């Protein structure tokens, strides 16, 4: 019997120095053994490299920025649906997820497009600003955090927590500050870029370990692969990493998925101290850009996500290969001006 | 002195700690000692093997083994909790 063929829309085609997860997700989809795919790329800008990678992406469309709202996005998706009839969408940006979560029922009911996303409650609870309360609720250590709206508040909070502290933007950016002057400097820079409040977080010394996984929405972890970053860029992004054997971390992860009934993909970011304690730093409600390492280690979690969305009853992965590495690379593509013209003027390629 | 369960060493002396993701290269003598530990040798047995294979006096072998053990401990490659 031949495999079913799905048309799947994927965002996050920005394979730049701080890459979106889209191309890794597409590679995993193309590696799937249980179905074939036609890939529809969803991009925000005409310079996103994935638009021009025709061996990975069959057809691409520009979509409106998340700030344009759900109605504008829905109209664009209705148009794309009229042409491509996608079976499923896999959104990969934190900033766009809220709109897709809000639209998921409409997409399925009116257009027959499936998604497999966390609930709005799950999405909101794991926000950086709510993470400490989230940790208390689910029995997970999270560094103490305060919300500063002014520079004075920021330095007072840093004194209360004790130096050094981590000064973080509500969406992005994190700096380690060892003095009140540094707190003021970073508060100023981060609030100008990302707005307030700025998070002042307890500094936990250790090394970062991350988990790429997927929950079935009923409390079961379908897949989970822990990874340590071996090489990190100036922006803190992994350029290389290796899978780990870490039973304690996997146990924490499974307990978290069970207690939250997490639905969909996730990336958990932890700091592991020298005393082998784990502090949860962040929950990303989507696949990370390094998710193709999970495929390399024996867990095609993206394929599992599609099967879950299609209503299949799937069994959890029971192992993965430890010591499997990924190393990222840059590449210069040669692109015809006509292609750039097409995506820039028509919004399609 | 016991290797942690997640530590593996290859024939070329490449040591990988699967629990932390850290890797190290060790020289042939280190590899010789590592394999003895891996096969369950006690410290006294390791010293006897060193004295048999290398021309070194016992105090020097003991001191160097002690230093090597401390390095392995600091990198969390061996378990010394039962000593």
């Amino acid at each position: 019997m031949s495999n079913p063929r799905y048309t799947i829309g994927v965002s996050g085609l920005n394979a730049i120095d701080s890459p979106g997860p889209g191309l890794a997700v597409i590679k995993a989809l193309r590696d799937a053994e249980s179905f074939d795919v036609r890939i529809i790329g969803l991009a925000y800008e005409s310079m996103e490299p994935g638009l021009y990678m025709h061996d990975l992406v069959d057809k691409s469309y520009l979509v409106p920025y998340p700030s344009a709202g759900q109605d504008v996005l829905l109209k664009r998706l209705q148009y794309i649906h009229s042409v491509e009839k996608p079976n499923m969408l896999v959104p990969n940006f934190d900033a766009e997820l809220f709109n897709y979560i809000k639209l998921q029922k409409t997409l399925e009911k009116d257009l027959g497009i499936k998604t497999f996303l966390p609930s709005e409650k799950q999405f909101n609870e794991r926000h950086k600003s709510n993470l400490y309360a989230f940790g208390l609720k689910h029995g997970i250590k999270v560094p103490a955090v305060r919300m500063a709206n002014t520079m004075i508040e920021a330095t007072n909070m840093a004194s209360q927590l004790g130096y050094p502290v981590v000064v973080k933007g509500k969406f992005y950016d994190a700096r380690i500050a060892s003095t009140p002057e540094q707190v003021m400097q970073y508060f100023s820079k981060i609030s100008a870029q990302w707005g307030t409040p700025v998070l002042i977080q307890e500094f936990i010394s250790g090394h970062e370990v991350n988990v790429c996984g997927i929950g079935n929405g009923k409390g079961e972890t379908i897949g989970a692969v822990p990874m340590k970053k071996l090489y990190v860029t100036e922006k803190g992004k992994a350029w290389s990493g290796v899978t780990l054997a870490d039973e304690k971390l996997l146990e924490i992860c499974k307990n978290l998925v069970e207690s939250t009934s997490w639905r969909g993909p996730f990336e958990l970011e932890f700091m592991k101290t020298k005393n082998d304690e784990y502090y949860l730093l962040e929950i990303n409600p989507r696949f990370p850009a390094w998710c193709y390492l999970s495929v390399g280690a024996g867990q095609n979690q993206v394929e599992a996500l599609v099967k879950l969305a299609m209503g299949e009853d799937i069994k959890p992965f029971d192992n993965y290969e430890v010591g499997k590495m990924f190393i990222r690379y840059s590449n210069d593509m040669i692109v015809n001006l006509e292609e750039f013209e097409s995506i820039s003027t028509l919004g399609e390629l | 002195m016991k290797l942690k369960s997640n530590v593996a060493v290859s024939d070329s002396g490449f040591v990988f700690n699967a629990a932390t993701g850290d890797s190290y290269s060790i020289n042939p003598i280190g590899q010789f000692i590592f394999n003895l530990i891996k096969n369950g040798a006690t410290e006294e047995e390791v010293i006897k093997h060193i004295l048999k294979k290398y021309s070194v006096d016992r105090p020097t072998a003991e001191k160097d083994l002690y230093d090597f053990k401390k390095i392995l401990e600091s990198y969390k490659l061996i378990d010394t909790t039962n000593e």
Side-chain angles (χ1 to χ4, degrees), chain A residues 37-300:
Chain A
V37 285
R38 172 174 161 76
I39 298 294
I40 307 302
L42 305 173
Y44 290 98
E45 292 179 3
S46 50
M47 287 283 191
E48 292 187 27
L51 289 167
Y52 306 96
M53 296 181 179
H54 305 306
D55 53 336
L56 291 174
V57 181
D58 295 295
K59 179 79 193 276
S60 294
Y61 294 86
L62 288 182
V63 290
Y65 281 106
S67 55
Q70 293 150 36
D71 293 343
V72 182
L73 175 63
L74 181 60
K75 275 186 188 144
R76 184 62 173 157
L77 293 177
Q78 283 168 334
Y79 169 72
I80 295 169
H81 174 262
S82 71
V83 184
E84 306 291 345
K85 301 282 185 294
N87 303 96
M88 184 177 177
L89 296 179
V90 184
N92 291 302
F93 279 124
D94 294 357
E96 70 184 1
L97 276 174
F98 183 77
N99 285 343
Y100 280 100
I101 288 169
K102 282 287 194 187
L103 286 175
Q104 59 184 325
K105 282 184 182 156
T106 308
L107 289 174
E108 174 141 23
K109 190 165 159 264
D110 296 350
L111 305 176
I113 302 175
K114 295 183 186 300
T115 53
F116 202 81
L117 302 168
S119 68
E120 190 178 341
K121 182 170 172 271
Q122 289 169 340
F123 181 77
N124 287 331
E125 268 191 346
R126 57 88 243 170
H127 261 302
K128 281 184 191 177
S129 51
N130 302 332
L131 196 63
Y132 190 70
F134 180 91
L136 286 177
K137 185 176 167 186
H138 298 289
I140 292 175
K141 287 179 181 164
V142 176
V145 70
R146 309 271 191 277
M147 309 293 152
N149 286 297
T150 65
M151 212 176 270
I152 297 289
E153 276 181 7
T155 50
N156 286 343
M157 289 166 180
S159 300
Q160 287 165 16
L161 291 171
Y163 286 96
V165 292
V166 185
V167 183
K168 295 173 93 167
K170 55 184 173 180
F171 295 119
Y172 192 68
D173 214 348
R175 308 290 178 97
I176 297 166
S178 301
T179 63
E181 289 73 24
Q182 284 182 332
V183 170
M184 287 191 274
Q185 183 190 343
Y186 299 148
F187 178 92
S188 174
K189 186 176 184 311
I190 290 172
S191 63
Q193 194 166 3
W194 301 106
T196 54
V198 169
L199 286 74
I200 309 297
Q201 192 180 58
E202 177 190 7
F203 175 79
I204 304 291
S205 175
H207 69 262
E208 196 181 323
V209 285
N210 299 337
V211 182
C212 175
I214 171 173
N216 70 355
K218 297 171 187 166
E220 196 170 25
T221 302
I222 298 300
V225 174
M227 179 275 291
K228 181 189 178 186
K229 295 175 183 177
L230 294 178
Y231 188 93
V232 178
T233 67
E234 281 181 0
K235 292 190 174 180
K237 302 294 166 186
W239 201 254
S240 169
V242 64
T243 56
L244 300 175
D246 195 329
E247 287 301 322
K248 191 176 172 186
L249 180 58
L250 287 173
E251 200 57 40
I252 294 171
C253 172
K254 282 178 183 169
N255 289 340
L256 182 67
V257 170
E258 190 179 346
S259 65
T260 58
S261 293
W262 187 268
R263 189 173 188 271
F266 59 82
E267 181 194 27
L268 304 179
E269 298 183 1
F270 286 93
M271 191 61 81
K272 184 179 180 182
T273 69
K274 63 180 180 182
N275 298 322
D276 291 342
E277 292 175 309
Y278 294 83
Y279 283 82
L280 181 62
L281 301 179
E282 217 161 288
I283 301 177
N284 292 316
R286 49 157 176 81
F287 284 118
W290 57 272
C291 69
Y292 193 65
L293 177 65
S294 300
V295 181
Q299 292 191 4
N300 193 333

Side-chain angles (χ1 to χ4, degrees), chain B residues 33-79:
Chain B
I33 297 170
F34 223 93
N35 283 327
L36 287 168
I37 299 170
K38 192 174 151 187
N39 293 326
T42 63
E43 276 189 59
E44 182 55 31
E45 286 167 341
V46 172
I47 287 170
K48 279 182 182 165
H49 277 93
I50 293 172
L51 293 174
K52 200 172 162 187
K53 186 167 182 182
Y54 298 97
S55 28
V56 59
D57 58 72
R58 188 176 177 94
T60 306
E62 281 179 353
K63 183 192 166 295
D64 288 353
L65 179 62
Y66 178 82
D67 289 347
F68 188 57
K69 189 180 146 187
K70 284 292 159 196
I71 291 170
L72 297 181
E73 265 181 44
S74 71
Y75 290 153
K76 296 188 173 181
L77 296 172
I78 56 170
D79 202 345

Side-chain angles (χ1 to χ4, degrees), chain A residues 319-338:
Chain A
N319 60 12
Y320 59 91
E321 198 176 333
V322 173
K324 192 65 98 175
M325 290 175 67
F326 79 91
I327 300 175
R328 209 164 266 166
Y329 71 102
S330 309
N331 190 20
D332 295 348
M333 271 190 301
I334 304 303
V335 173
N336 291 325
L337 191 63
E338 291 77 13

